[in-house]
Amino acid sequence: MSLQQVGPANNLTCAAVEDQRTERRRTALMLAGRRSRAATIASTAAVAEIGEILRQDQAAGDPIGIDGAEVLTGLTRQTLADARDDPARWHELCGLAKRVVEAQDDDAARVDLHAQLPHLAGWYHAAQHLQRVHKRAYRGKRGDFDPVVPLNPEDDARGYEALMSVYEAALARLAAGAPGPGDNR
């Protein structure tokens, strides 16, 4: 059945449906583009960290070397050599971590660092979520407002301190210029 057989009212409906589909594709492209940019940012930070590890390996006599790193990372020799020979990106990451450690309220630095190192963002946001849920449950149990009872619970959510200690240890390592997971594997 063609659009002409359907009639003018149905043609408008078909056009509206097609407009919705087009809008969904636009939205999907926009979201996929955001994820792609985020992955590129995280990849750049990971390569900078690999470069620092390779510089440390070189200082230790190259026991792993570019060949071993190529096998371990799946990256090309050229990418690895470029990363090793350019410490500037790594120093920028360490400086950003230092800003977050020294100025606890530097939200812009934290957001930028989290964009580059999503595992840090994961630990941080998981801990914050635990706290929000804990406070919401506490407030729900309190019932009506009672000025004698504190507004927020005195203790942290279970798991909050563990997540934040992993997060803060990773931040401190990075601020000190140390790559890798440390003891937080």
Side-chain angles (χ1 to χ4, degrees):
M1 178 185 315
S2 73
L3 287 179
Q4 292 172 343
Q5 294 171 329
V6 175
N10 287 336
N11 285 344
L12 292 175
T13 302
C14 290
V17 167
E18 193 53 42
D19 287 346
Q20 288 175 343
R21 289 180 181 150
T22 300
E23 189 56 35
R24 280 195 296 270
R25 287 191 302 272
R26 279 190 185 111
T27 301
L29 281 170
M30 185 179 65
L31 294 173
R34 285 181 190 164
R35 289 191 308 273
S36 177
R37 285 188 303 278
T40 299
I41 290 167
S43 174
T44 301
V47 170
E49 182 178 18
I50 288 168
E52 177 61 18
I53 294 167
L54 288 173
R55 283 186 291 282
Q56 290 179 4
D57 183 62
Q58 191 175 42
D62 263 344
I64 298 171
I66 293 290
D67 291 335
E70 184 180 21
V71 170
L72 293 169
T73 65
L75 298 174
T76 66
R77 293 174 56 79
Q78 185 63 51
T79 299
L80 294 167
D82 290 348
R84 181 196 60 207
D85 297 341
D86 181 18
R89 186 75 188 102
W90 176 250
H91 294 302
E92 287 175 23
L93 267 176
C94 294
L96 195 55
K98 194 175 281 189
R99 275 182 46 203
V100 172
V101 168
E102 291 172 356
Q104 292 293 326
D105 60 346
D106 192 344
D107 289 333
R110 187 179 308 277
V111 167
D112 193 18
L113 187 65
H114 288 177
Q116 295 178 63
L117 301 169
H119 66 286
L120 291 181
W123 292 329
Y124 181 80
H125 291 295
Q128 299 308 312
H129 176 72
L130 285 176
Q131 279 297 79
R132 281 191 303 276
V133 169
H134 180 61
K135 286 179 181 179
R136 203 174 303 132
Y138 173 81
R139 291 176 186 149
K141 289 179 190 173
R142 279 186 55 218
D144 292 333
F145 179 73
D146 182 352
V148 177
V149 178
L151 184 60
N152 290 313
E154 293 176 14
D155 57 331
D156 288 324
R158 286 184 63 168
Y160 173 81
E161 286 183 28
L163 281 170
M164 285 307 290
S165 72
V166 168
Y167 173 77
E168 289 166 357
L171 262 182
R173 284 181 55 76
L174 184 57
D183 296 330
N184 303 322
R185 295 179 211 178

